[in-house]
Amino acid sequence: MAMTTAIQNLQAADSSANQTPFLVVDRVSKVYPTKDGSYTVLKDVNLTVHQGEFICVIGHSGCGKSTLLNMVSGFSHPTEGEVRLQGKPIIKPGPDRMVVFQGYALLPWLSVFENVYLGVNSVYPEKSKAEKTRIVKEHLAMVGLADSMEKKPPQISGGMKQRVAIARALAIRPEVLILDEPFGALDAITKEELQEELLKIWNDHRCTVLMITHDIDEALFLADRLVMMTNGPAADIGEVLDIPFRRPRDRARIMEAPEYYKLRNYALDFLYNRFAHDDTE
Amino acid sequence: MTLAQKRTPTTSTRKPVNSKLMQRLDDIVSPLIALIILLAIWQVLASIPGLTTLPTPVRVVQETWMPLIAYPFYNNGGTDKGLFWQVMSSLQRVAIGYSLAAIVGISLGIVVGMNQRVAKSLDPIFQILRTVPPLAWVPIALAALQQNQPSAIFVIFITALWPILINTAVGVRQIPADYNNVAQVLQLPKSEYFFKILFPAALPYIFTGLRISIGLAWLAIIAAEIVMSGIVGIGFFIWNAYQNNQVSEIILALVYIGLVGWLLDKMMERLQMLILPSGQR
Ligand SMILES: Nc1ncnc2c1ncn2[C@@H]1O[C@H](COP(=O)(O)OP(=O)(O)OP(=O)(O)O)[C@@H](O)[C@H]1O
Ligand SMILES: [Mg+2]
């Protein structure tokens, strides 16, 4: 797992290597046309992600993190370059790359159960009703919502909503799970609980995870690699940090490790000294 | 009230119920007092000789007591029927015309809302037709349909149609991007998208349209019936009374019209409360 950035970049460049990499962002640029000329958000971004990897993306607000992940989910298209999943270019959204949306995106008129069932039913139409119900219940139990299945989203807390969104995403067994700042709006305790649940589930499912975060500690706890982006316009991946902590991870143990602070300071230095934001946030 | 507030511990659980009851009572008593004051002012003004030929409220009741107030259900055949039957005939027309408007308005509204191009081309036409007053449709309806009954229904239909159509279209267009993104990533089948996302998301807007329209439909039927001679209906009843210089009967009919209009609105409000989930009102 502890491969160096250099080797991965080499792999990205040399796609004639014996096995096709799982997910490749290949020289991707994104330009938005605006009133006063075109605006380049991302320029020549390269990234190779291996199957089952947990990747966190960090960077200042507005640098283009969502833009990058939207091109993986298929909601937006690269102006130049392409994104490939298992060798095939991504052209539109699909359940193999399930998204946990920034605002949960639960349907308020459906119960918690129905929200998750909607996805399972759409992705596995051939399965029996009993089987689909079982899948939904299993995943809701996994995020600790077995008792709240009949509630409607307006009746549950933010943390519970995020749990439903995660259960909905995982219940359809995506190859890639994309999370855009999933825990940003939650209080510290709920956030840590959910991080641990997410890790546990990821351990069972072994899907590939791409997650945007603003929280370095969160990234260090969750990720195999931390992608650090430079500032926009024309942002790029500045550096990819390997996070070598052994799994299963224990938050307290990690934070005692001397490496933890080295990595943390390195990331902080990247964000606040080398690529400090112009305007204060 | 003040006493109840002072006896704190034992009555603390009962207080909200009590104050709620008081509030309910207040909701009824205050408007009642206002009504009595207004009636008194009317009584005084109408009693001043030479000021107006309008009857006083007392005279209105005296003159219309037999048979209109006392026997709302009498039926002498022809247009000589009690006010209950007059109102029912009008309501029947409203029910037919309004139902048609709801069916056509909602379906057309969904089509218009889903299709940018159709919306762009039709919107100005809707906006112009919407402002045509109900009465202006009457001669066209009579010319086109020849008979009173279908003409009256058409006038209701055309008056009630626009708010339903326009609001439905807006509702469909305002579906949050998040919901559509969920549908896209799950690749929901068309029918699932319609029943689980589009329709429920637009429902609050549809209800807004339906509620505006029920009021308009009731306005329109009065206007339409006034022009159409020889039919049973509260509108023609007024016209007939005017021809015979029975001002008290007109006033009584106005009271009926107001009450029925108010009831119709309350009914729609109830329906809205019943059908819309609490988070969406
Ligand atoms: N449709 C668009 N048209 C024009 N510019 C856009 C569009 N979408 C995004 N941008 C611009 O692209 C840049 C990157 O946006 P993006 O949402 O990817 O940032 P982000 O890194 O996710 O920020 P945050 O951390 O605040 O979510 C921003 O400057 C934004 O203004
Ligand atoms: Mg973002």
Side-chain angles (χ1 to χ4, degrees):
Chain A
M1 194 96 306
M3 275 181 280
T4 65
T5 319
I7 290 175
Q8 279 151 21
N9 281 343
L10 261 179
Q11 280 184 341
D14 181 19
S15 53
S16 64
N18 43 9
Q19 108 237 46
T20 41
F22 183 65
L23 175 68
V24 183
V25 178
D26 190 5
R27 272 164 288 167
V28 162
S29 299
K30 180 73 189 179
V31 182
Y32 282 116
T34 59
K35 281 194 299 274
D36 15 67
S38 54
Y39 179 77
T40 307
V41 180
L42 297 171
K43 184 138 182 70
D44 277 330
V45 176
N46 288 296
L47 180 70
T48 304
V49 178
H50 302 282
Q51 188 150 23
E53 241 186 330
F54 199 127
I55 302 282
C56 279
V57 180
I58 207 162
H60 285 293
S61 184
C63 72
K65 304 180 294 293
S66 298
T67 306
L68 178 63
L69 261 55
N70 279 342
M71 289 188 285
V72 178
S73 55
F75 283 112
S76 146
H77 301 280
T79 315
E80 273 168 54
E82 66 178 7
V83 184
R84 288 187 299 272
L85 181 67
Q86 293 175 309
K88 284 191 254 23
I90 288 167
I91 37 179
K92 62 170 189 173
D96 54 335
R97 288 154 284 125
M98 185 58 188
V99 183
V100 173
F101 296 94
Q102 221 162 349
Y104 317 125
L106 300 177
L107 303 169
W109 45 83
L110 297 183
S111 70
V112 164
F113 177 88
E114 289 165 331
N115 262 287
V116 181
Y117 191 88
L118 186 72
V120 175
N121 189 36
S122 174
V123 177
Y124 300 112
E126 75 287 351
K127 283 197 159 78
S128 74
K129 194 169 172 166
E131 172 73 0
K132 286 181 279 195
T133 304
R134 192 193 58 73
I135 293 174
V136 174
K137 288 190 171 160
E138 179 194 314
H139 283 85
L140 282 172
M142 215 145 62
V143 294
L145 285 178
D147 296 333
S148 311
M149 289 195 295
E150 297 313 317
K151 293 211 174 95
K152 298 266 167 72
Q155 300 168 318
I156 61 179
S157 69
M160 288 163 92
K161 282 182 199 154
Q162 193 55 278
R163 287 188 161 95
V164 180
I166 290 172
R168 173 174 68 185
L170 290 166
I172 62 171
R173 293 267 165 180
E175 307 247 22
V176 182
L177 179 65
I178 296 169
L179 305 109
D180 193 339
E181 269 184 74
F183 310 136
L186 304 177
D187 66 275
I189 294 169
T190 312
K191 186 169 167 170
E192 292 194 355
E193 270 174 26
L194 273 172
Q195 288 167 358
E196 266 148 47
E197 271 166 29
L198 180 63
L199 262 196
K200 223 169 65 204
I201 295 169
W202 171 73
N203 233 337
D204 299 341
H205 278 60
R206 280 291 157 180
C207 54
T208 307
V209 178
L210 299 178
M211 172 170 152
I212 295 176
T213 177
H214 270 136
D215 179 345
I216 293 176
D217 293 304
E218 179 171 275
L220 291 179
F221 178 55
L222 295 173
D224 291 317
R225 285 191 292 153
L226 173 57
V227 170
M228 298 190 290
M229 298 190 57
T230 64
N231 291 341
D236 186 7
I237 293 177
E239 221 164 298
V240 180
L241 210 56
D242 278 311
I243 318 237
F245 303 118
R246 229 174 321 128
R247 296 184 191 272
R249 289 179 182 172
D250 176 83
R251 196 187 301 273
R253 285 259 305 283
I254 293 179
M255 289 175 82
E256 281 167 11
E259 272 157 301
Y260 186 86
Y261 286 94
K262 250 195 259 158
L263 288 167
R264 193 171 190 279
N265 286 333
Y266 192 82
L268 282 173
D269 179 58
F270 178 91
L271 286 175
Y272 295 105
N273 295 328
R274 286 160 60 196
F275 289 97
H277 216 11
D278 327 329
D279 43 38
T280 43
E281 284 185 328
Chain B
M1 197 58 210
T2 42
L3 256 179
Q5 273 171 341
K6 273 172 192 159
R7 289 183 301 170
T8 32
T10 44
T11 53
S12 62
T13 48
R14 249 152 126 203
K15 212 177 67 192
V17 180
N18 240 332
S19 68
K20 211 168 184 178
L21 200 84
M22 291 295 276
Q23 180 113 40
R24 265 321 243 295
L25 217 64
D26 199 46
D27 282 349
I28 299 169
V29 171
S30 301
L32 215 63
I33 293 172
L35 182 68
I36 291 169
I37 293 174
L38 284 176
L39 285 174
I41 294 173
W42 174 13
Q43 179 76 30
V44 170
L45 286 180
S47 305
I48 298 172
L51 190 65
T52 171
T53 53
L54 277 186
T56 64
V58 172
R59 248 191 73 202
V60 169
V61 174
Q62 281 169 349
E63 286 186 2
T64 56
W65 186 261
M66 282 309 267
L68 288 174
I69 297 179
Y71 298 101
F73 301 106
Y74 83 86
N75 185 350
N76 293 342
T79 59
D80 188 13
K81 291 183 178 174
L83 277 172
F84 174 81
W85 299 114
Q86 304 281 358
V87 167
M88 280 317 275
S89 299
S90 299
L91 274 178
Q92 213 172 26
R93 292 184 192 107
V94 168
I96 298 169
Y98 180 74
S99 303
L100 285 175
I103 293 165
V104 174
I106 293 172
S107 341
L108 218 63
I110 288 172
V111 173
V112 171
M114 276 175 38
N115 195 321
Q116 278 296 328
R117 193 158 195 92
V118 176
K120 257 221 171 98
S121 21
L122 290 182
D123 195 60
I125 301 173
F126 294 159
Q127 295 297 344
I128 291 168
L129 287 180
R130 175 176 79 93
T131 61
V132 176
L135 214 49
W137 288 106
V138 174
I140 294 182
L142 283 170
L145 300 167
Q146 305 295 331
Q147 286 163 350
N148 276 337
Q149 185 73 356
S151 301
I153 290 169
F154 174 80
V155 172
I156 306 288
F157 166 79
I158 203 79
T159 310
L161 179 67
W162 309 113
I164 299 175
L165 199 165
I166 291 169
N167 277 284
T168 304
V170 169
V172 170
R173 238 172 290 149
Q174 304 251 313
I175 296 175
D178 259 0
Y179 298 165
N180 287 328
N181 288 344
V182 168
Q184 260 189 294
V185 77
L186 292 175
Q187 288 174 355
L188 283 191
K190 276 249 153 59
S191 64
E192 280 278 282
Y193 173 72
F194 183 84
F195 288 111
K196 297 283 168 61
I197 294 186
L198 184 140
F199 193 70
L203 205 55
Y205 290 84
I206 294 177
F207 265 112
T208 305
L210 286 173
R211 232 179 122 183
I212 297 172
S213 279
I214 194 84
L216 285 182
W218 188 236
L219 285 181
I221 189 62
I222 310 300
E225 285 176 354
I226 282 183
V227 183
M228 293 165 187
S229 56
I231 54 175
V232 181
I234 192 81
F236 180 67
F237 175 87
I238 288 180
W239 185 246
N240 203 28
Y242 173 72
Q243 298 285 310
N244 298 323
N245 208 14
Q246 297 159 322
V247 181
S248 292
E249 292 196 0
I250 297 177
I251 291 171
L252 180 68
L254 291 188
V255 172
Y256 265 77
I257 289 169
L259 285 176
V260 171
W262 178 75
L263 274 176
L264 285 176
D265 186 60
K266 281 284 155 210
M267 230 174 59
M268 283 309 296
E269 192 186 348
R270 271 318 257 282
L271 204 66
Q272 194 172 7
M273 298 283 245
L274 224 74
I275 292 175
L276 280 190
S278 51
Q280 269 193 290
R281 266 171 226 144

